[in-house]
Amino acid sequence: MRVLIVEDEKDLAMILSEILEMEGYYTDVVHDGVSGLDNALSDIYDIIILDVMLPRMDGIRVLSEIRKSSIGTPVLMLTAKSEVEDKVCGLDNGADDYLTKPFNTKELLARIRALLRRKEKVIIDENLKFADIILDKYTHQICKGDQKVKLTKKEYDIIELLILNYGKVISKEELTVKIWGYDADIEYNSIEVYISFLRKKLGAINSRVNISTVRGLGYTIKGEKDE
Ligand code: CA
């Protein structure tokens, strides 16, 4: 795991780097926004720790440039206590989490681990990205690189719901209610048919995304094929 630290307080940057390296992460440290953006655009990082107040380019701008370049690396923003408004602004610009300075080491490490777990799920330009696919909310296509497959509206709604609930099992009942509503006259068997169409379509673009059946419970989406 490689972490980019963009922090102009050199002592803090050094401490962060030491803590993370002790935990087994590789780190690169830069002290200004322009260098931070340059490094981030290489897209080699698993996570970016980004201070808000930075020389040459502030953290909010750096983040928005990163997202404009369709780089989905999770970003943990660091804000000073007085910069509460920056938090909101940072999250609007595509930050995945923020931490107020001063913070304790345990808290930092816990946030980083949580972000790495969520890494598969990132929203870019309103389209949902998950593992190797991007869902286009307007055309209802799923794309993997330049391979594309068109979904029906219901298929799109189902895969979107599964991705937004990544890590959880969604029951057939829940799927039915959320997609068709309470009064819907739909057989549970139909859900199975929709899921099997979705699996075929994922297969058609050679995606590693997999909708698993959890016997007796429902469905869950994974970023890799079952063993
Ligand atoms: Ca700063």
Side-chain angles (χ1 to χ4, degrees):
M1 293 291 175
R2 184 168 284 275
V3 182
L4 173 63
I5 300 167
V6 190
E7 169 60 76
D8 60 317
E9 288 166 56
K10 294 197 171 144
D11 290 347
L12 177 58
M14 196 177 69
I15 292 165
L16 277 172
S17 163
E18 280 173 4
I19 293 168
L20 291 171
E21 300 224 332
M22 272 196 310
E23 292 290 316
Y25 299 95
Y26 295 101
T27 62
D28 289 326
V29 178
V30 291
H31 302 297
D32 69 86
V34 172
S35 314
L37 180 59
D38 270 356
N39 279 46
L41 292 181
S42 69
D43 203 12
I44 58 166
Y45 297 99
D46 298 290
I47 203 160
I48 299 168
I49 299 177
L50 180 62
D51 187 29
V52 171
M53 297 294 286
L54 287 167
R56 297 181 72 200
M57 186 188 285
D58 71 63
I60 305 280
R61 170 92 193 282
V62 172
L63 176 61
S64 116
E65 294 295 324
I66 291 173
R67 293 297 184 242
K68 263 190 222 160
S69 307
S70 292
I71 288 176
T73 314
V75 172
L76 175 64
M77 304 280 304
L78 300 180
T79 64
K81 234 181 187 151
S82 57
E83 301 161 350
V84 180
E85 278 181 13
D86 292 335
K87 287 180 187 173
V88 181
C89 190
L91 290 172
D92 285 348
N93 274 297
D96 299 278
D97 200 1
Y98 58 85
L99 202 52
T100 309
K101 293 193 263 189
F103 46 82
N104 75 42
T105 307
K106 272 191 186 161
E107 176 75 16
L108 172 78
L109 293 172
R111 297 289 186 91
I112 289 178
R113 281 193 293 268
L115 282 180
L116 289 172
R117 277 198 300 275
R118 275 165 39 195
K119 193 176 163 230
E120 299 275 31
K121 190 178 88 184
V122 171
I123 292 166
I124 295 174
D125 297 339
E126 298 184 321
N127 289 330
L128 202 57
K129 185 179 178 220
F130 179 76
D132 59 358
I133 57 166
I134 296 176
L135 270 68
D136 188 315
K137 69 187 273 192
Y138 299 108
T139 63
H140 297 153
Q141 286 178 321
I142 16 178
C143 316
K144 185 202 160 197
D146 41 12
Q147 303 182 80
K148 288 178 182 164
V149 62
K150 176 104 173 130
L151 305 183
T152 65
K153 176 72 169 71
K154 293 295 181 208
E155 288 166 353
Y156 178 88
D157 290 344
I158 291 170
I159 195 167
E160 183 189 58
L161 184 72
L162 289 168
I163 291 173
L164 293 175
N165 288 280
Y166 172 58
K168 287 192 228 158
V169 176
I170 302 293
S171 67
K172 283 187 188 175
E173 291 82 349
E174 192 175 345
L175 267 176
T176 310
V177 170
K178 289 202 168 139
I179 309 288
W180 282 272
Y182 278 103
D183 301 326
D185 186 20
I186 174 172
E187 302 282 331
Y188 285 160
N189 291 347
S190 320
I191 304 259
E192 283 167 26
V193 174
Y194 278 100
I195 296 284
S196 87
F197 284 153
L198 272 172
R199 286 178 177 144
K200 286 204 182 95
K201 288 183 175 180
L202 288 165
I205 53 167
N206 301 307
S207 170
R208 61 186 162 87
V209 173
N210 172 28
I211 302 172
S212 296
T213 305
V214 184
R215 195 170 278 274
L217 292 175
Y219 301 101
T220 188
I221 200 159
K222 293 180 180 170
E224 70 280 334
K225 296 283 180 203
D226 283 332
E227 304 269 296

